[in-house]
Amino acid sequence: MATEIRQQDGITIVEPNGKIVGPSVSELREVILPEIEVSEAPRILINFEHVNMIDSSGLGALMEARTLASRKNGRIGVTNVGKHIRNLIVLSRIVSLFEHFDNVADGVSGLST
């Protein structure tokens, strides 16, 4: 899995690519957690446009990021969540813990306020 990270209007945009399973979960953690640590109130948007699978370990990494961000009064949003991932998030009952946006522009705008 390759993960790109960029900044836009004070929002960190994380764009994983491929499957978030097994070893790639560690890579996702290695990208997101430092972004949370260096910010006083992190605002992170995770773009799932190019992710076709996530497992329970991947959900655990997202939950860890969300917990750490919320301790710092931060926010984490998600966008372009495909059907498979959306179903898994709903079944795991964590759907309400993340802010959902239709696209990256809406996510950046929504997390900027």
Side-chain angles (χ1 to χ4, degrees), residues 51-92:
V51 174
N52 52 19
M53 179 185 261
I54 188 169
D55 66 7
S56 59
S57 297
L59 290 180
L62 294 177
M63 290 303 303
E64 179 181 3
R66 193 244 180 227
T67 299
L68 294 173
S70 66
R71 287 182 186 157
K72 298 178 87 174
N73 294 318
R75 298 166 60 191
I76 295 186
V78 296
T79 187
N80 295 314
V81 179
K83 182 180 176 183
H84 170 72
I85 296 170
R86 182 178 308 276
N87 288 343
L88 186 59
I89 291 172
V90 169
L91 289 172
S92 303

Side-chain angles (χ1 to χ4, degrees), residues 4-75:
E4 291 187 29
I5 189 164
R6 60 188 170 97
Q7 300 287 325
Q8 184 177 334
D9 298 334
I11 307 300
T12 300
I13 302 171
V14 177
E15 297 181 322
N17 190 351
K19 297 177 181 181
I20 303 176
V21 298
S24 62
V25 174
S26 295
E27 180 185 330
L28 183 64
R29 276 192 179 100
E30 291 171 6
V31 170
I32 293 178
L33 298 184
E35 293 296 323
I36 294 170
E37 290 174 12
V38 299
S39 179
E40 289 183 24
R43 291 175 291 161
I44 298 173
L45 179 65
I46 304 170
N47 181 3
F48 284 99
E49 183 175 10
H50 301 291
V51 174
N52 52 19
M53 179 185 261
I54 188 169
D55 66 7
S56 59
S57 297
L59 290 180
L62 294 177
M63 290 303 303
E64 179 181 3
R66 193 244 180 227
T67 299
L68 294 173
S70 66
R71 287 182 186 157
K72 298 178 87 174
N73 294 318
R75 298 166 60 191

